[in-house]
């Protein structure tokens, strides 16, 4: 899904900050986690998932629950 991703880190950061702001406005708790590519790849392989936005979100949720 690389064609759907932001082209630069700066663009991604702007979008992330906006999403965090909106989630907090809705009363949701937000935890930021660092997704390391080798860990994401292993997670997807173990679960038989494609590496895409849905699997990245699932992985990030699991990381946040462990934090």
């Amino acid at each position: 899904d690389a064609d759907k991703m932001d082209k630069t880190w700066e663009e991604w950061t702007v979008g992330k900050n906006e999403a965090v702001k909106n989630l907090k406005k809705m009363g949701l708790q937000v935890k930021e986690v660092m997704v390391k590519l080798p860990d994401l790849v292993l997670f997807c392989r173990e679960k038989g998932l494609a590496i895409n936005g849905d699997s990245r979100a699932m992985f990030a949720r699991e990381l946040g629950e462990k934090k």
Side-chain angles (χ1 to χ4, degrees):
D1 66 338
D3 59 316
K4 299 176 188 170
M5 297 178 78
D6 294 308
K7 297 199 185 320
T8 67
W9 178 262
E10 289 80 13
E11 288 176 13
W12 177 84
T13 300
V14 169
K16 187 255 322 174
N17 290 340
E18 187 65 26
V20 166
K21 185 173 88 175
N22 290 334
L23 291 169
K24 286 182 177 181
K25 276 185 185 177
M26 292 188 297
L28 298 172
Q29 182 182 6
V30 177
K31 290 183 185 177
E32 293 191 32
V33 296
M34 178 66 68
V35 173
K36 296 178 183 173
L37 184 57
D39 296 338
L40 173 63
V41 170
L42 180 61
F43 172 84
C44 290
R45 281 189 186 147
E46 288 175 347
K47 298 195 179 292
L49 301 171
I51 299 173
N52 58 32
D54 290 338
S55 60
R56 284 191 300 272
M58 184 185 305
F59 182 62
R61 264 193 312 276
E62 286 194 17
L63 287 177
E65 290 170 359
K66 292 177 184 177
K67 212 172 181 187

